[in-house]
């Protein structure tokens, strides 16, 4: 005489662990014994790999990281304007390239000018 769970969909969540229920919606109101409850289940965070941007211009590296869904930061004192960003070369990221991190995570890109 219990309820019957039905997984309706799965959604990404940064706050609800993978496999846990995000919402439960009764199939009728009021719901009686044997009634169906539709569940939305967490897929956990939306993980994406940090792109390998080493060797690209800082400008192109920043653009690629932003397009991949990251919040990008870099040393604005060392790279104060777009002209410098276009001639500077990205050397690494933190987290490192290939690391799986949640979408919208911060990524710091390091670079150099002239080698």
């Amino acid at each position: 005489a219990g309820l019957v769970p039905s997984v309706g969909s799965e959604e990404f969540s940064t706050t609800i662990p993978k496999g846990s229920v995000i919402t439960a919606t009764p199939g009728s109101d009021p719901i009686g014994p044997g009634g169906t409850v539709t569940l939305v289940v967490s897929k956990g965070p939306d993980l994406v790999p940090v792109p390998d941007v080493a060797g690209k211009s800082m400008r192109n590296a920043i653009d690629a990281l932003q397009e991949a869904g990251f919040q990008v930061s870099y040393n604005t004192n060392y790279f104060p304007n777009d002209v410098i960003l276009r001639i500077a070369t990205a050397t690494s990221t933190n987290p490192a390239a290939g690391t799986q991190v949640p979408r919208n995570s911060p990524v710091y890109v390091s670079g150099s000018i002239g080698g």
Side-chain angles (χ1 to χ4, degrees), residues 6-105:
S6 171
V7 176
S9 63
E10 294 182 323
E11 296 178 5
F12 291 110
S13 174
T14 57
T15 57
I16 309 296
K18 182 177 181 176
S20 296
V21 174
I22 297 172
T23 62
T25 307
S28 61
D29 187 21
I31 191 166
T36 300
V37 177
T38 302
L39 307 176
V40 175
V41 177
S42 173
K43 296 197 294 186
D46 183 9
L47 299 178
V48 291
V50 175
D52 183 359
V53 296
K56 295 184 179 207
S57 75
M58 283 291 287
R59 173 79 274 149
N60 288 344
I62 291 165
D63 291 345
L65 290 163
Q66 288 174 335
E67 288 171 13
F70 296 106
Q71 302 298 316
V72 181
S73 63
Y74 58 93
N75 185 334
T76 57
N77 292 321
Y78 196 62
F79 307 108
N81 59 53
D82 203 55
V83 172
I84 301 297
L85 288 175
R86 291 185 187 286
I87 62 171
T89 302
T91 55
S92 64
T93 57
N94 185 12
T99 304
Q100 296 275 336
V101 295
R103 191 176 302 278
N104 296 317
S105 291

